[in-house]
Amino acid sequence: MIDVRTGLFCTKNMLKEGVYRMTQQAKVDNRKLEAIAKAIQNLEFGEVHITIQDGVIVQINRLEKQRFPQKK
């Protein structure tokens, strides 16, 4: 799994601990965290953009790319 904050690989436990610390500091509501987790689930190639205004998450965009193997 990729840590959305750092872009580094992490385990589910590492991510849960990091999200827990982040929520304690930023007071992010669980519904928004669940939406972010849902956006990155099963995303093989693509991007997740989180828009923040005045310290509050206001929008989450998911861009999924489909890649096809090239025949040689």
Side-chain angles (χ1 to χ4, degrees), residues 6-17:
T6 64
L8 300 174
F9 176 80
C10 64
T11 65
K12 286 185 179 182
N13 287 339
M14 291 167 61
L15 184 60
K16 284 180 186 177
E17 179 63 27

Side-chain angles (χ1 to χ4, degrees), residues 7-42:
L8 300 174
F9 176 80
C10 64
T11 65
K12 286 185 179 182
N13 287 339
M14 291 167 61
L15 184 60
K16 284 180 186 177
E17 179 63 27
V19 168
Y20 174 77
R21 276 190 252 131
M22 183 179 74
T23 56
Q24 294 303 308
Q25 294 171 1
K27 305 282 185 194
V28 177
D29 106 33
N30 284 336
R31 193 180 73 173
K32 292 176 183 176
L33 290 175
E34 289 171 8
I36 293 168
K38 185 178 176 183
I40 61 175
Q41 279 182 338
N42 302 320

